[in-house]
Amino acid sequence: MTSASWHARISCGRDTGAGFLVTEQHVLTCAHVVARSDTDTVAVSFAHGGYEDVPARVIAHGGWGGRESDPGDLAVLELDRPVPMKPAEFATPADAYGDPPRRLLAYGFPKRYDEGTLAEYRATADQLIAGEWVQLEAWAAHGQPLVPGFSGAAVTLADTGRIVGMVSAAARSPEIRNGRMLPAQVMARYWPRLADLIPTPEYGQTEKERLRHLIEAVEGAQPGAQGCIEVRLRRGARPAPTGPRTDHTRNPPGPTGPTGPTGPTASEYSPERLYSDAVGLLGPPLPPHGFGSLWAAAWYLLSEVPDPGAVTRFAARLADFVDDQRTRSALRAWPAAPLARRPDTAPVVPRGAAQDPAHTWSPILVEIAPSGSGDGHFLVEVSAYNGRHRRVVGSRRLPVDRVRPYALERIDEAYRELEPGARELLVFVLPRRWLNADVAHWKRSADDDSPLGSFAPLVVMDLERRRSGGLQHKLRQKWQRLDARPAPRLHRIDCWSVGQDQVKLTIGLRRDADMVGFGTPPRADGVRRLFQASLNAAVPVMLWPRTGCRGEHRYGESEDCRGSAFLDRLTEHLAGLPARELPYYVHELREAAYASDAPEPHWAYDLALLWEDPECLPDPVGYLHSPVG
């Protein structure tokens, strides 16, 4: 039998309704129950708690307009003192529905029932009416109907007592045996703090609370602000630098003044636009009610969109329009460490804790090497790893035009060798002159045009370095130092750095660098020399744009340099991220870039990642004879 002590009776002048305790000092009810709170006293008593007529005040509401069909019929009451009783607990949003239907209970206070009474109901379907309500129908043809006095009552699961919603509309006549429920996830759109209490499948209370505070910081709101819709989007906000100035003439002109037409328009970073960027073209459509706040959009993604990566993409896209660097970096890093129970995401591993990197990833290795025959043919070998066990899926000597289709077919076959919960990592080991190849943009298969880099985490490695015993030893030493540091350090090589001495750079990077970021692709001679210096310095992680700036800027000319803007964004995005999990985070970034429908390409659209941890792949077997023939 479940406790009913947190069920509350709400009095506001001559009006009576129900409510429920969610913290020691906060009670939720319908806004229409306390509609006259400006002139009448609000008092709260508890069904079995022994506390009568505790004064309360309305501190937040959902913007209800006064009509039965208006959305936002939610009010948050703050008691004038905490009450020492356990607050209500919430079920996950999907628990209200099932086949067969779940029996639901509502505890209300109709006339002549000052102590309260129960009504048995069930949800007709999980479909929201007008994006706001769930229809309730009587569990049986007899029993207590939802009549006045039930408004604001918690709707609970009969078997667990956990809350799934709140009665928002009761029948005006006992003969009408249906009603409406405001689901818990809809209530949390209007009072963001409630989201911390509602379980969601992919993210826990800590992650949700962190995101809520970040969104509040974006708008300058403080936790516990008086308004329910606390987080309003600044329509004239100025985005963080994203590279060259963008021509937005295809959209309505932006606000005038300091953020005038050269800045993004309001439609580009409204909650609705951010939502669309997060779910992509084929994702769930916008809800009919739209979003009244940034939080409403983020919470909708958390609670009602079956794609755990969508809210991460939302946070990263929101960061594009945030001026404060600390908040911007935190949004891009959110949720900072994905939950361990999500097998397709980065595991939570305390830094410095004992771990076996070989079991962190399950690589699919694609090694492409010159055949040695001098006729333009290549030896292509695809292998799958489970721990330290390697199985060669296919190996063949091919002309250059057959390399891609053969590799893609074997990659698909290699997936059969992985365990169901394995975290795959596509690793392309390429000749040095091929490291800038567009392997992340390869179409995944003959009938799937999506980029391979959106299908799974994908990295490249340098063939020559992988075959060097000395450099592999240095890489292992680098990773030992990386694991002992709180966060890796990114060494920038801007476009104007191409004149650096190659030998001095090699020695310096070998001593100090964890990661190297290039502002320009390794095509021009000067950049290629610095690229080679980084490889010879055994830098474990290298990132660069495959296209963009040609490295023609001089020191101090970085204002309009795409390469410098790229490195600014990269530095912010990588802040605080563990080096061992960068393939995962870059994969999420690529997903967001490929799914973006902004008029200009996403800054990370052509991002390349060289990432090499020798412990993830057994040492290669040296060639004891020529592979020709």
Side-chain angles (χ1 to χ4, degrees), residues 9-224:
R9 183 178 186 271
I10 313 296
S11 299
C12 180
R14 298 175 60 184
D15 296 328
T16 300
F20 47 99
L21 187 73
V22 293
T23 77
E24 290 183 348
Q25 203 167 356
H26 294 95
V27 171
L28 299 186
T29 188
C30 288
H32 73 259
V33 172
V34 291
R36 296 184 175 89
S37 61
D38 289 343
T39 57
D40 293 336
T41 300
V42 178
V44 178
S45 59
F46 293 94
H48 301 287
Y51 298 92
E52 295 186 358
D53 297 333
V54 180
R57 64 189 181 98
V58 178
I59 63 164
H61 62 83
W64 180 64
R67 297 178 302 177
E68 188 173 314
S69 59
D70 286 338
D73 190 5
L74 173 75
V76 183
L77 308 182
E78 184 176 81
L79 306 177
D80 74 344
R81 63 182 184 275
V83 291
M85 65 177 62
K86 185 179 179 181
E89 295 182 353
F90 286 81
T92 59
D95 285 350
Y97 320 101
D99 187 13
R102 304 289 298 270
R103 187 165 68 100
L104 307 176
L105 299 179
Y107 195 108
F109 298 87
K111 288 182 178 179
R112 296 185 296 276
Y113 286 94
D114 290 346
E115 73 285 2
T117 188
L118 289 170
E120 294 180 302
Y121 274 74
R122 61 185 175 187
T124 304
D126 62 355
Q127 180 177 342
L128 293 180
I129 299 171
E132 183 87 358
W133 304 282
V134 166
Q135 180 171 311
L136 297 176
E137 57 186 34
W139 181 260
H142 51 83
Q144 174 66 51
L146 293 179
V147 293
F150 275 90
S151 292
V155 179
T156 64
L157 296 171
D159 53 350
T160 68
R162 291 179 177 266
I163 294 176
V164 294
M166 178 182 74
V167 176
S168 60
R172 299 185 183 277
S173 168
E175 288 75 30
I176 301 175
R177 305 188 61 80
N178 58 27
R180 283 184 175 178
M181 172 179 78
L182 197 64
Q185 72 269 21
V186 174
M187 289 190 283
R189 296 179 198 162
Y190 302 117
W191 194 46
R193 284 187 60 185
L194 185 61
D196 301 343
L197 307 177
I198 300 173
T200 48
E202 301 297 336
Y203 296 100
Q205 179 177 344
T206 301
E207 289 81 11
K208 289 183 292 187
E209 186 175 6
R210 186 184 303 120
L211 180 61
R212 176 169 62 82
H213 286 312
L214 286 171
I215 290 178
E216 287 172 343
V218 169
E219 296 306 318
Q222 296 297 322

Side-chain angles (χ1 to χ4, degrees), residues 581-599:
E581 299 303 328
L582 281 186
Y584 163 76
Y585 291 110
V586 169
H587 171 61
E588 281 205 333
L589 190 56
R590 283 173 173 154
E591 284 185 315
Y594 297 150
S596 174
D597 59 355

